[in-house]
Amino acid sequence: QVRFVESGGGLVQRGESLTLSCDTSASPVSRQSMGWYRQAPGKQHDLVAGITIDNRTVYYGDSIKGRFTISRDAVKHMLYLQMNALEPEDTAVYYCNYYYGPALKPPVWGQGTQVTVSS
């Protein structure tokens, strides 16, 4: 069971920004690569961004490149996703979880945080 707590979602208009936060203090992630995923209604979880343990390798999905930035604060046990220039297509529930690379997804999910972008 993952014990990550996502926050920061909300309702915004097209072009606006949001910053999502993920508290990982309840689960050991200091030696884990982490990522943000999202699930739109009726769809599967999609990888949005991933960051490795040493912060040297960062992955971004094609649809969000240049608009979203993933970062982590190991001291505070926090993971962040800065989202700029939001589009209605970004509407989804966003989750933080372990990152296994672009082709794999975690099997267990937490509560997530809802992001809704209106046009």
Side-chain angles (χ1 to χ4, degrees), residues 9-28:
L11 172 62
V12 297
Q13 294 187 339
R14 169 182 276 160
E16 294 185 338
S17 299
L18 279 175
T19 300
L20 304 183
S21 299
C22 176
D23 184 349
T24 68
S25 58
S27 293

Side-chain angles (χ1 to χ4, degrees), residues 13-80:
Q13 294 187 339
R14 169 182 276 160
E16 294 185 338
S17 299
L18 279 175
T19 300
L20 304 183
S21 299
C22 176
D23 184 349
T24 68
S25 58
S27 293
V29 300
S30 60
R31 295 181 178 270
Q32 299 286 339
S33 297
M34 294 296 295
W36 284 97
Y37 302 79
R38 67 186 181 186
Q39 185 179 30
K43 296 187 177 181
Q44 296 182 345
H45 291 86
D46 288 329
L47 174 65
V48 174
I51 187 168
T52 55
I53 302 170
D54 56 6
N55 296 337
R56 292 182 181 178
T57 303
V58 179
Y59 167 89
Y60 291 107
D62 289 339
S63 64
I64 59 91
K65 282 181 180 177
R67 298 190 296 124
F68 292 10
T69 303
I70 187 172
S71 61
R72 66 192 299 174
D73 186 328
V75 174
K76 295 182 179 180
H77 304 288
M78 296 293 293
L79 184 72
Y80 303 100

